[in-house]
Amino acid sequence: MNFDLPDDLIALRDMVRDFAATEVRPHSREWDEQQMLPDELVHKMAAIGLLGPMIPTEYGGSGLGYLANSLIMEEMARQDGGVALFLAAHNGLCCSHLLLAGSQAQHAKYLPKLASGEHVGAWGLTEPGCGSDAGALATKAVKDGAGWRITGHKQFITNGIRAQIFVVVARADPEKGAKGISAFVVERGMQGFSIGRKEDKLGMRCSDTVTLNFEDVYVPDENMIGPRGSGYVDALRVLERGRVGIGALSVGLGRGALEESLEYAQTRTAFGKPLFEQQAIQFMLADMATQVDAARLLVHDAAQSLDRGESEKIKACMAKMFASEIATKVCLDAIQIHGGYGYTKEVPVERYMRDAKLCEIGEGSSQIQRILIARDVLNEVAA
Ligand SMILES: Cc1cc2nc3c(=O)[nH]c(=O)nc-3n(C[C@H](O)[C@H](O)[C@H](O)COP(=O)(O)OP(=O)(O)OC[C@H]3O[C@@H](n4cnc5c(N)ncnc54)[C@H](O)[C@@H]3O)c2cc1C
């Protein structure tokens, strides 16, 4: 493991850090309350390359890797988890699926607009009837001439309100089980495709989460992503990579909560001295700092493995599970350190806590990560 960042990644991290501090932080409370993100922010993020960090330069992206993306996610989430979740769905799910499994023609057609921010991307796997058990999905794609007709519903889809490009996973060959699942590009405006209810959520509130409805939506053959029947395996590959991003998002939330707490503990006095001088508070801060750093090590290790082209999905599971769980814990401790103020919207730590909880659920819950990790550990023992 090498955790020294090269100069170009340090410059990227510092650039995103400054952007998030000036363009995001001052507005986060308002966006959380209003449950919205302004288009202007999306355009500004596109202008500095945040909507195509892993898209090759020939398609207008930055051609960077997973470590770079992790730095972006951490810096953005340190100020606003919802903005980071917007990026996670656009970059880590929609663009990632097209990059991993799309054809050259699909890359040429979709990636430049996704990188420039002209189009926003979303990714639909989860359904009203299944999330963790994604292989049980019921949305179907029926062959019709030179295309497919998609019918069904997708649930909890991030960016659905503003996306133009939706990667949708559907059952094309029901008799083949998971091997009968394929992925398609569905474009906003296609006949029969509509956006349903927007969820009123606990956290990540500036990021929209909606239902997608498909009623006999016709998509041409060229919109199928990857070979027929590869949709489920490709979705799992996308999730493996996406989990590293959610791990980094969690680290950002934990770090944000820690930094707010450090500052508060130095300025707030109780019993004649700063909170920071109380050993009980020091111990909490020590634990928080250790947990955040440990989570970052797991995330960077998993990201570097992906950048080396290794497929070590268990590293991604461990990073995501550990980072998301410590993020919730660190944020709860941050509220405790802030006392009564921590329970109000005057300080951002309660928002960080609400945002962090999602990271234990989305892109595979902690229980699902443990199942995958246990399976891997038991296989190693048996080998
Ligand atoms: C804000 C938000 C954004 C999202 N964005 C997207 C998106 O953009 N695209 C998308 O496709 N999906 C998205 N999702 C869906 C998300 O990935 C799912 O919610 C998640 O995978 C869990 O699925 P579920 O909600 O159906 O829970 P369920 O699968 O019903 O699980 C319920 C509970 O049971 C546990 N459980 C399930 N099976 C087992 C088992 N075998 N052993 C032990 N415990 C188990 C789970 O861990 C969980 O605690 C989003 C969700 C949210 C809340």
PDB file of all heavy atoms in Angstrom, residues 248-286:
ATOM      1  N   ALA A 248     -15.770   6.522   0.452  1.00  0.00           N
ATOM      2  CA  ALA A 248     -15.101   7.826   0.512  1.00  0.00           C
ATOM      3  C   ALA A 248     -16.068   8.916   0.971  1.00  0.00           C
ATOM      4  O   ALA A 248     -15.698   9.815   1.733  1.00  0.00           O
ATOM      5  CB  ALA A 248     -14.532   8.165  -0.861  1.00  0.00           C
ATOM      6  N   LEU A 249     -17.302   8.821   0.511  1.00  0.00           N
ATOM      7  CA  LEU A 249     -18.332   9.781   0.947  1.00  0.00           C
ATOM      8  C   LEU A 249     -18.490   9.698   2.473  1.00  0.00           C
ATOM      9  O   LEU A 249     -18.553  10.714   3.165  1.00  0.00           O
ATOM     10  CB  LEU A 249     -19.643   9.435   0.230  1.00  0.00           C
ATOM     11  CG  LEU A 249     -20.812  10.402   0.226  1.00  0.00           C
ATOM     12  CD1 LEU A 249     -21.838   9.978  -0.830  1.00  0.00           C
ATOM     13  CD2 LEU A 249     -21.474  10.546   1.555  1.00  0.00           C
ATOM     14  N   SER A 250     -18.495   8.485   2.980  1.00  0.00           N
ATOM     15  CA  SER A 250     -18.631   8.277   4.437  1.00  0.00           C
ATOM     16  C   SER A 250     -17.450   8.884   5.181  1.00  0.00           C
ATOM     17  O   SER A 250     -17.616   9.508   6.241  1.00  0.00           O
ATOM     18  CB  SER A 250     -18.708   6.779   4.751  1.00  0.00           C
ATOM     19  OG  SER A 250     -19.712   6.148   3.989  1.00  0.00           O
ATOM     20  N   VAL A 251     -16.241   8.690   4.634  1.00  0.00           N
ATOM     21  CA  VAL A 251     -15.051   9.267   5.270  1.00  0.00           C
ATOM     22  C   VAL A 251     -15.196  10.789   5.333  1.00  0.00           C
ATOM     23  O   VAL A 251     -14.882  11.422   6.349  1.00  0.00           O
ATOM     24  CB  VAL A 251     -13.766   8.872   4.486  1.00  0.00           C
ATOM     25  CG1 VAL A 251     -12.554   9.631   5.030  1.00  0.00           C
ATOM     26  CG2 VAL A 251     -13.521   7.370   4.569  1.00  0.00           C
ATOM     27  N   GLY A 252     -15.710  11.371   4.240  1.00  0.00           N
ATOM     28  CA  GLY A 252     -15.881  12.827   4.215  1.00  0.00           C
ATOM     29  C   GLY A 252     -16.839  13.303   5.291  1.00  0.00           C
ATOM     30  O   GLY A 252     -16.579  14.313   5.969  1.00  0.00           O
ATOM     31  N   LEU A 253     -17.946  12.578   5.462  1.00  0.00           N
ATOM     32  CA  LEU A 253     -18.912  12.970   6.500  1.00  0.00           C
ATOM     33  C   LEU A 253     -18.295  12.835   7.893  1.00  0.00           C
ATOM     34  O   LEU A 253     -18.457  13.715   8.748  1.00  0.00           O
ATOM     35  CB  LEU A 253     -20.168  12.101   6.387  1.00  0.00           C
ATOM     36  CG  LEU A 253     -21.063  12.364   5.173  1.00  0.00           C
ATOM     37  CD1 LEU A 253     -22.102  11.265   5.022  1.00  0.00           C
ATOM     38  CD2 LEU A 253     -21.739  13.728   5.284  1.00  0.00           C
ATOM     39  N   GLY A 254     -17.577  11.735   8.109  1.00  0.00           N
ATOM     40  CA  GLY A 254     -16.933  11.525   9.411  1.00  0.00           C
ATOM     41  C   GLY A 254     -15.894  12.605   9.680  1.00  0.00           C
ATOM     42  O   GLY A 254     -15.821  13.157  10.783  1.00  0.00           O
ATOM     43  N   ARG A 255     -15.123  12.913   8.645  1.00  0.00           N
ATOM     44  CA  ARG A 255     -14.089  13.945   8.816  1.00  0.00           C
ATOM     45  C   ARG A 255     -14.734  15.309   9.095  1.00  0.00           C
ATOM     46  O   ARG A 255     -14.268  16.079   9.948  1.00  0.00           O
ATOM     47  CB  ARG A 255     -13.219  14.034   7.563  1.00  0.00           C
ATOM     48  CG  ARG A 255     -11.996  14.881   7.776  1.00  0.00           C
ATOM     49  CD  ARG A 255     -11.198  14.994   6.492  1.00  0.00           C
ATOM     50  NE  ARG A 255     -11.222  16.351   5.995  1.00  0.00           N
ATOM     51  CZ  ARG A 255     -11.233  16.682   4.712  1.00  0.00           C
ATOM     52  NH1 ARG A 255     -11.251  15.751   3.790  1.00  0.00           N
ATOM     53  NH2 ARG A 255     -11.216  17.941   4.354  1.00  0.00           N
ATOM     54  N   GLY A 256     -15.798  15.581   8.383  1.00  0.00           N
ATOM     55  CA  GLY A 256     -16.481  16.855   8.612  1.00  0.00           C
ATOM     56  C   GLY A 256     -16.965  16.959  10.052  1.00  0.00           C
ATOM     57  O   GLY A 256     -16.772  17.985  10.717  1.00  0.00           O
ATOM     58  N   ALA A 257     -17.575  15.888  10.532  1.00  0.00           N
ATOM     59  CA  ALA A 257     -18.090  15.889  11.906  1.00  0.00           C
ATOM     60  C   ALA A 257     -16.947  16.023  12.911  1.00  0.00           C
ATOM     61  O   ALA A 257     -17.070  16.721  13.927  1.00  0.00           O
ATOM     62  CB  ALA A 257     -18.880  14.600  12.161  1.00  0.00           C
ATOM     63  N   LEU A 258     -15.837  15.366  12.643  1.00  0.00           N
ATOM     64  CA  LEU A 258     -14.667  15.454  13.526  1.00  0.00           C
ATOM     65  C   LEU A 258     -14.131  16.886  13.551  1.00  0.00           C
ATOM     66  O   LEU A 258     -13.859  17.441  14.624  1.00  0.00           O
ATOM     67  CB  LEU A 258     -13.586  14.482  13.023  1.00  0.00           C
ATOM     68  CG  LEU A 258     -12.204  14.636  13.661  1.00  0.00           C
ATOM     69  CD1 LEU A 258     -12.245  14.290  15.144  1.00  0.00           C
ATOM     70  CD2 LEU A 258     -11.180  13.731  12.947  1.00  0.00           C
ATOM     71  N   GLU A 259     -13.973  17.483  12.372  1.00  0.00           N
ATOM     72  CA  GLU A 259     -13.395  18.832  12.317  1.00  0.00           C
ATOM     73  C   GLU A 259     -14.301  19.866  12.995  1.00  0.00           C
ATOM     74  O   GLU A 259     -13.817  20.755  13.697  1.00  0.00           O
ATOM     75  CB  GLU A 259     -13.101  19.215  10.863  1.00  0.00           C
ATOM     76  CG  GLU A 259     -11.925  18.415  10.313  1.00  0.00           C
ATOM     77  CD  GLU A 259     -11.688  18.606   8.815  1.00  0.00           C
ATOM     78  OE1 GLU A 259     -12.458  19.348   8.173  1.00  0.00           O
ATOM     79  OE2 GLU A 259     -10.746  17.995   8.307  1.00  0.00           O
ATOM     80  N   GLU A 260     -15.604  19.713  12.789  1.00  0.00           N
ATOM     81  CA  GLU A 260     -16.533  20.629  13.483  1.00  0.00           C
ATOM     82  C   GLU A 260     -16.383  20.465  15.001  1.00  0.00           C
ATOM     83  O   GLU A 260     -16.416  21.435  15.754  1.00  0.00           O
ATOM     84  CB  GLU A 260     -17.987  20.325  13.083  1.00  0.00           C
ATOM     85  CG  GLU A 260     -18.327  20.510  11.619  1.00  0.00           C
ATOM     86  CD  GLU A 260     -18.309  21.945  11.155  1.00  0.00           C
ATOM     87  OE1 GLU A 260     -18.529  22.848  11.987  1.00  0.00           O
ATOM     88  OE2 GLU A 260     -18.064  22.163   9.942  1.00  0.00           O
ATOM     89  N   SER A 261     -16.226  19.213  15.434  1.00  0.00           N
ATOM     90  CA  SER A 261     -16.149  18.926  16.876  1.00  0.00           C
ATOM     91  C   SER A 261     -14.857  19.464  17.471  1.00  0.00           C
ATOM     92  O   SER A 261     -14.843  19.989  18.597  1.00  0.00           O
ATOM     93  CB  SER A 261     -16.229  17.409  17.117  1.00  0.00           C
ATOM     94  OG  SER A 261     -17.400  16.898  16.544  1.00  0.00           O
ATOM     95  N   LEU A 262     -13.767  19.325  16.729  1.00  0.00           N
ATOM     96  CA  LEU A 262     -12.477  19.828  17.222  1.00  0.00           C
ATOM     97  C   LEU A 262     -12.556  21.341  17.451  1.00  0.00           C
ATOM     98  O   LEU A 262     -12.096  21.857  18.476  1.00  0.00           O
ATOM     99  CB  LEU A 262     -11.378  19.518  16.204  1.00  0.00           C
ATOM    100  CG  LEU A 262     -10.816  18.093  16.233  1.00  0.00           C
ATOM    101  CD1 LEU A 262      -9.958  17.828  14.998  1.00  0.00           C
ATOM    102  CD2 LEU A 262     -10.007  17.864  17.511  1.00  0.00           C
ATOM    103  N   GLU A 263     -13.171  22.016  16.476  1.00  0.00           N
ATOM    104  CA  GLU A 263     -13.260  23.471  16.579  1.00  0.00           C
ATOM    105  C   GLU A 263     -14.155  23.859  17.766  1.00  0.00           C
ATOM    106  O   GLU A 263     -13.804  24.727  18.561  1.00  0.00           O
ATOM    107  CB  GLU A 263     -13.818  24.021  15.266  1.00  0.00           C
ATOM    108  CG  GLU A 263     -13.571  25.506  15.109  1.00  0.00           C
ATOM    109  CD  GLU A 263     -14.207  26.045  13.829  1.00  0.00           C
ATOM    110  OE1 GLU A 263     -14.210  25.321  12.809  1.00  0.00           O
ATOM    111  OE2 GLU A 263     -14.716  27.176  13.887  1.00  0.00           O
ATOM    112  N   TYR A 264     -15.287  23.165  17.860  1.00  0.00           N
ATOM    113  CA  TYR A 264     -16.237  23.508  18.922  1.00  0.00           C
ATOM    114  C   TYR A 264     -15.627  23.249  20.301  1.00  0.00           C
ATOM    115  O   TYR A 264     -15.781  24.044  21.233  1.00  0.00           O
ATOM    116  CB  TYR A 264     -17.513  22.686  18.748  1.00  0.00           C
ATOM    117  CG  TYR A 264     -18.625  23.092  19.663  1.00  0.00           C
ATOM    118  CD1 TYR A 264     -19.363  24.247  19.413  1.00  0.00           C
ATOM    119  CD2 TYR A 264     -18.934  22.342  20.801  1.00  0.00           C
ATOM    120  CE1 TYR A 264     -20.380  24.644  20.260  1.00  0.00           C
ATOM    121  CE2 TYR A 264     -19.946  22.727  21.660  1.00  0.00           C
ATOM    122  CZ  TYR A 264     -20.669  23.878  21.382  1.00  0.00           C
ATOM    123  OH  TYR A 264     -21.675  24.268  22.227  1.00  0.00           O
ATOM    124  N   ALA A 265     -14.925  22.132  20.406  1.00  0.00           N
ATOM    125  CA  ALA A 265     -14.370  21.755  21.713  1.00  0.00           C
ATOM    126  C   ALA A 265     -13.307  22.742  22.186  1.00  0.00           C
ATOM    127  O   ALA A 265     -13.021  22.837  23.383  1.00  0.00           O
ATOM    128  CB  ALA A 265     -13.782  20.343  21.641  1.00  0.00           C
ATOM    129  N   GLN A 266     -12.723  23.471  21.258  1.00  0.00           N
ATOM    130  CA  GLN A 266     -11.717  24.463  21.648  1.00  0.00           C
ATOM    131  C   GLN A 266     -12.333  25.807  22.020  1.00  0.00           C
ATOM    132  O   GLN A 266     -11.731  26.588  22.742  1.00  0.00           O
ATOM    133  CB  GLN A 266     -10.721  24.668  20.502  1.00  0.00           C
ATOM    134  CG  GLN A 266      -9.822  23.457  20.308  1.00  0.00           C
ATOM    135  CD  GLN A 266      -8.983  23.571  19.050  1.00  0.00           C
ATOM    136  OE1 GLN A 266      -8.020  24.322  18.999  1.00  0.00           O
ATOM    137  NE2 GLN A 266      -9.360  22.831  18.033  1.00  0.00           N
ATOM    138  N   THR A 267     -13.544  26.054  21.521  1.00  0.00           N
ATOM    139  CA  THR A 267     -14.141  27.376  21.781  1.00  0.00           C
ATOM    140  C   THR A 267     -15.180  27.339  22.905  1.00  0.00           C
ATOM    141  O   THR A 267     -15.372  28.316  23.622  1.00  0.00           O
ATOM    142  CB  THR A 267     -14.808  27.931  20.504  1.00  0.00           C
ATOM    143  OG1 THR A 267     -15.660  26.913  19.960  1.00  0.00           O
ATOM    144  CG2 THR A 267     -13.772  28.312  19.464  1.00  0.00           C
ATOM    145  N   ARG A 268     -15.835  26.228  23.075  1.00  0.00           N
ATOM    146  CA  ARG A 268     -16.879  26.114  24.102  1.00  0.00           C
ATOM    147  C   ARG A 268     -16.243  25.848  25.467  1.00  0.00           C
ATOM    148  O   ARG A 268     -15.405  24.943  25.587  1.00  0.00           O
ATOM    149  CB  ARG A 268     -17.810  24.952  23.745  1.00  0.00           C
ATOM    150  CG  ARG A 268     -18.853  24.625  24.779  1.00  0.00           C
ATOM    151  CD  ARG A 268     -19.965  25.638  24.764  1.00  0.00           C
ATOM    152  NE  ARG A 268     -21.069  25.247  25.624  1.00  0.00           N
ATOM    153  CZ  ARG A 268     -22.117  26.031  25.853  1.00  0.00           C
ATOM    154  NH1 ARG A 268     -22.221  27.229  25.278  1.00  0.00           N
ATOM    155  NH2 ARG A 268     -23.083  25.630  26.636  1.00  0.00           N
ATOM    156  N   THR A 269     -16.644  26.630  26.462  1.00  0.00           N
ATOM    157  CA  THR A 269     -16.097  26.373  27.799  1.00  0.00           C
ATOM    158  C   THR A 269     -17.168  25.785  28.720  1.00  0.00           C
ATOM    159  O   THR A 269     -18.361  26.078  28.582  1.00  0.00           O
ATOM    160  CB  THR A 269     -15.551  27.669  28.448  1.00  0.00           C
ATOM    161  OG1 THR A 269     -16.577  28.647  28.417  1.00  0.00           O
ATOM    162  CG2 THR A 269     -14.318  28.163  27.730  1.00  0.00           C
ATOM    163  N   ALA A 270     -16.723  24.945  29.611  1.00  0.00           N
ATOM    164  CA  ALA A 270     -17.601  24.391  30.656  1.00  0.00           C
ATOM    165  C   ALA A 270     -16.736  24.164  31.890  1.00  0.00           C
ATOM    166  O   ALA A 270     -15.585  23.710  31.760  1.00  0.00           O
ATOM    167  CB  ALA A 270     -18.226  23.074  30.186  1.00  0.00           C
ATOM    168  N   PHE A 271     -17.255  24.501  33.043  1.00  0.00           N
ATOM    169  CA  PHE A 271     -16.509  24.371  34.300  1.00  0.00           C
ATOM    170  C   PHE A 271     -15.158  25.101  34.222  1.00  0.00           C
ATOM    171  O   PHE A 271     -14.124  24.589  34.654  1.00  0.00           O
ATOM    172  CB  PHE A 271     -16.319  22.888  34.670  1.00  0.00           C
ATOM    173  CG  PHE A 271     -17.627  22.173  34.845  1.00  0.00           C
ATOM    174  CD1 PHE A 271     -18.169  21.422  33.809  1.00  0.00           C
ATOM    175  CD2 PHE A 271     -18.337  22.296  36.040  1.00  0.00           C
ATOM    176  CE1 PHE A 271     -19.390  20.793  33.952  1.00  0.00           C
ATOM    177  CE2 PHE A 271     -19.566  21.659  36.189  1.00  0.00           C
ATOM    178  CZ  PHE A 271     -20.100  20.910  35.142  1.00  0.00           C
ATOM    179  N   GLY A 272     -15.184  26.266  33.582  1.00  0.00           N
ATOM    180  CA  GLY A 272     -14.016  27.150  33.598  1.00  0.00           C
ATOM    181  C   GLY A 272     -12.916  26.830  32.614  1.00  0.00           C
ATOM    182  O   GLY A 272     -11.856  27.448  32.640  1.00  0.00           O
ATOM    183  N   LYS A 273     -13.126  25.860  31.730  1.00  0.00           N
ATOM    184  CA  LYS A 273     -12.074  25.587  30.748  1.00  0.00           C
ATOM    185  C   LYS A 273     -12.692  25.054  29.458  1.00  0.00           C
ATOM    186  O   LYS A 273     -13.846  24.583  29.461  1.00  0.00           O
ATOM    187  CB  LYS A 273     -11.047  24.599  31.306  1.00  0.00           C
ATOM    188  CG  LYS A 273     -11.601  23.294  31.813  1.00  0.00           C
ATOM    189  CD  LYS A 273     -10.493  22.464  32.464  1.00  0.00           C
ATOM    190  CE  LYS A 273     -11.033  21.169  32.999  1.00  0.00           C
ATOM    191  NZ  LYS A 273     -10.034  20.342  33.663  1.00  0.00           N
ATOM    192  N   PRO A 274     -11.924  25.116  28.364  1.00  0.00           N
ATOM    193  CA  PRO A 274     -12.491  24.611  27.106  1.00  0.00           C
ATOM    194  C   PRO A 274     -12.858  23.136  27.217  1.00  0.00           C
ATOM    195  O   PRO A 274     -12.180  22.370  27.928  1.00  0.00           O
ATOM    196  CB  PRO A 274     -11.362  24.802  26.092  1.00  0.00           C
ATOM    197  CG  PRO A 274     -10.420  25.764  26.715  1.00  0.00           C
ATOM    198  CD  PRO A 274     -10.564  25.627  28.196  1.00  0.00           C
ATOM    199  N   LEU A 275     -13.908  22.776  26.504  1.00  0.00           N
ATOM    200  CA  LEU A 275     -14.317  21.355  26.493  1.00  0.00           C
ATOM    201  C   LEU A 275     -13.142  20.451  26.154  1.00  0.00           C
ATOM    202  O   LEU A 275     -13.024  19.335  26.649  1.00  0.00           O
ATOM    203  CB  LEU A 275     -15.390  21.143  25.414  1.00  0.00           C
ATOM    204  CG  LEU A 275     -16.828  21.519  25.711  1.00  0.00           C
ATOM    205  CD1 LEU A 275     -17.674  21.186  24.486  1.00  0.00           C
ATOM    206  CD2 LEU A 275     -17.329  20.778  26.941  1.00  0.00           C
ATOM    207  N   PHE A 276     -12.279  20.961  25.274  1.00  0.00           N
ATOM    208  CA  PHE A 276     -11.154  20.173  24.774  1.00  0.00           C
ATOM    209  C   PHE A 276     -10.261  19.675  25.923  1.00  0.00           C
ATOM    210  O   PHE A 276      -9.574  18.671  25.798  1.00  0.00           O
ATOM    211  CB  PHE A 276     -10.331  21.049  23.823  1.00  0.00           C
ATOM    212  CG  PHE A 276      -9.295  20.299  23.062  1.00  0.00           C
ATOM    213  CD1 PHE A 276      -9.657  19.457  22.026  1.00  0.00           C
ATOM    214  CD2 PHE A 276      -7.941  20.421  23.376  1.00  0.00           C
ATOM    215  CE1 PHE A 276      -8.708  18.742  21.314  1.00  0.00           C
ATOM    216  CE2 PHE A 276      -6.991  19.712  22.667  1.00  0.00           C
ATOM    217  CZ  PHE A 276      -7.368  18.872  21.628  1.00  0.00           C
ATOM    218  N   GLU A 277     -10.271  20.404  27.049  1.00  0.00           N
ATOM    219  CA  GLU A 277      -9.395  19.992  28.156  1.00  0.00           C
ATOM    220  C   GLU A 277     -10.025  18.920  29.039  1.00  0.00           C
ATOM    221  O   GLU A 277      -9.402  18.440  29.976  1.00  0.00           O
ATOM    222  CB  GLU A 277      -8.990  21.225  28.977  1.00  0.00           C
ATOM    223  CG  GLU A 277      -8.029  22.106  28.184  1.00  0.00           C
ATOM    224  CD  GLU A 277      -7.556  23.326  28.949  1.00  0.00           C
ATOM    225  OE1 GLU A 277      -7.575  23.296  30.198  1.00  0.00           O
ATOM    226  OE2 GLU A 277      -7.199  24.320  28.283  1.00  0.00           O
ATOM    227  N   GLN A 278     -11.266  18.576  28.759  1.00  0.00           N
ATOM    228  CA  GLN A 278     -11.894  17.462  29.498  1.00  0.00           C
ATOM    229  C   GLN A 278     -11.444  16.144  28.867  1.00  0.00           C
ATOM    230  O   GLN A 278     -11.595  15.940  27.656  1.00  0.00           O
ATOM    231  CB  GLN A 278     -13.431  17.534  29.417  1.00  0.00           C
ATOM    232  CG  GLN A 278     -14.034  18.840  29.868  1.00  0.00           C
ATOM    233  CD  GLN A 278     -13.960  19.038  31.368  1.00  0.00           C
ATOM    234  OE1 GLN A 278     -13.607  18.115  32.112  1.00  0.00           O
ATOM    235  NE2 GLN A 278     -14.275  20.238  31.821  1.00  0.00           N
ATOM    236  N   GLN A 279     -10.912  15.271  29.695  1.00  0.00           N
ATOM    237  CA  GLN A 279     -10.354  14.046  29.121  1.00  0.00           C
ATOM    238  C   GLN A 279     -11.417  13.197  28.416  1.00  0.00           C
ATOM    239  O   GLN A 279     -11.142  12.557  27.399  1.00  0.00           O
ATOM    240  CB  GLN A 279      -9.653  13.222  30.198  1.00  0.00           C
ATOM    241  CG  GLN A 279      -8.722  12.192  29.587  1.00  0.00           C
ATOM    242  CD  GLN A 279      -7.983  11.395  30.627  1.00  0.00           C
ATOM    243  OE1 GLN A 279      -8.590  10.881  31.576  1.00  0.00           O
ATOM    244  NE2 GLN A 279      -6.667  11.278  30.469  1.00  0.00           N
ATOM    245  N   ALA A 280     -12.648  13.243  28.940  1.00  0.00           N
ATOM    246  CA  ALA A 280     -13.719  12.448  28.308  1.00  0.00           C
ATOM    247  C   ALA A 280     -13.931  12.908  26.868  1.00  0.00           C
ATOM    248  O   ALA A 280     -14.158  12.090  25.960  1.00  0.00           O
ATOM    249  CB  ALA A 280     -15.014  12.591  29.095  1.00  0.00           C
ATOM    250  N   ILE A 281     -13.853  14.218  26.646  1.00  0.00           N
ATOM    251  CA  ILE A 281     -14.021  14.769  25.297  1.00  0.00           C
ATOM    252  C   ILE A 281     -12.801  14.417  24.444  1.00  0.00           C
ATOM    253  O   ILE A 281     -12.914  14.050  23.267  1.00  0.00           O
ATOM    254  CB  ILE A 281     -14.225  16.303  25.365  1.00  0.00           C
ATOM    255  CG1 ILE A 281     -15.479  16.651  26.165  1.00  0.00           C
ATOM    256  CG2 ILE A 281     -14.282  16.908  23.953  1.00  0.00           C
ATOM    257  CD1 ILE A 281     -16.789  16.258  25.537  1.00  0.00           C
ATOM    258  N   GLN A 282     -11.620  14.529  25.045  1.00  0.00           N
ATOM    259  CA  GLN A 282     -10.397  14.171  24.304  1.00  0.00           C
ATOM    260  C   GLN A 282     -10.464  12.730  23.822  1.00  0.00           C
ATOM    261  O   GLN A 282     -10.078  12.418  22.687  1.00  0.00           O
ATOM    262  CB  GLN A 282      -9.157  14.347  25.192  1.00  0.00           C
ATOM    263  CG  GLN A 282      -8.815  15.777  25.497  1.00  0.00           C
ATOM    264  CD  GLN A 282      -7.637  15.900  26.451  1.00  0.00           C
ATOM    265  OE1 GLN A 282      -7.002  14.913  26.822  1.00  0.00           O
ATOM    266  NE2 GLN A 282      -7.361  17.131  26.860  1.00  0.00           N
ATOM    267  N   PHE A 283     -10.951  11.832  24.685  1.00  0.00           N
ATOM    268  CA  PHE A 283     -11.004  10.409  24.303  1.00  0.00           C
ATOM    269  C   PHE A 283     -11.980  10.208  23.129  1.00  0.00           C
ATOM    270  O   PHE A 283     -11.726   9.417  22.226  1.00  0.00           O
ATOM    271  CB  PHE A 283     -11.425   9.547  25.496  1.00  0.00           C
ATOM    272  CG  PHE A 283     -10.299   9.265  26.463  1.00  0.00           C
ATOM    273  CD1 PHE A 283      -9.081   9.922  26.366  1.00  0.00           C
ATOM    274  CD2 PHE A 283     -10.461   8.328  27.492  1.00  0.00           C
ATOM    275  CE1 PHE A 283      -8.046   9.663  27.257  1.00  0.00           C
ATOM    276  CE2 PHE A 283      -9.424   8.053  28.378  1.00  0.00           C
ATOM    277  CZ  PHE A 283      -8.223   8.730  28.264  1.00  0.00           C
ATOM    278  N   MET A 284     -13.100  10.926  23.199  1.00  0.00           N
ATOM    279  CA  MET A 284     -14.046  10.807  22.066  1.00  0.00           C
ATOM    280  C   MET A 284     -13.402  11.280  20.772  1.00  0.00           C
ATOM    281  O   MET A 284     -13.494  10.633  19.730  1.00  0.00           O
ATOM    282  CB  MET A 284     -15.314  11.641  22.338  1.00  0.00           C
ATOM    283  CG  MET A 284     -16.263  10.989  23.315  1.00  0.00           C
ATOM    284  SD  MET A 284     -17.623  12.106  23.727  1.00  0.00           S
ATOM    285  CE  MET A 284     -18.700  11.823  22.356  1.00  0.00           C
ATOM    286  N   LEU A 285     -12.705  12.421  20.856  1.00  0.00           N
ATOM    287  CA  LEU A 285     -12.066  12.958  19.648  1.00  0.00           C
ATOM    288  C   LEU A 285     -10.966  12.016  19.158  1.00  0.00           C
ATOM    289  O   LEU A 285     -10.786  11.838  17.943  1.00  0.00           O
ATOM    290  CB  LEU A 285     -11.492  14.358  19.942  1.00  0.00           C
ATOM    291  CG  LEU A 285     -12.561  15.442  20.146  1.00  0.00           C
ATOM    292  CD1 LEU A 285     -11.947  16.688  20.778  1.00  0.00           C
ATOM    293  CD2 LEU A 285     -13.228  15.795  18.813  1.00  0.00           C
ATOM    294  N   ALA A 286     -10.255  11.408  20.094  1.00  0.00           N
ATOM    295  CA  ALA A 286      -9.183  10.468  19.701  1.00  0.00           C
ATOM    296  C   ALA A 286      -9.777   9.278  18.952  1.00  0.00           C
ATOM    297  O   ALA A 286      -9.260   8.854  17.903  1.00  0.00           O
ATOM    298  CB  ALA A 286      -8.431   9.989  20.947  1.00  0.00           C
TER     299      ALA A 286
END
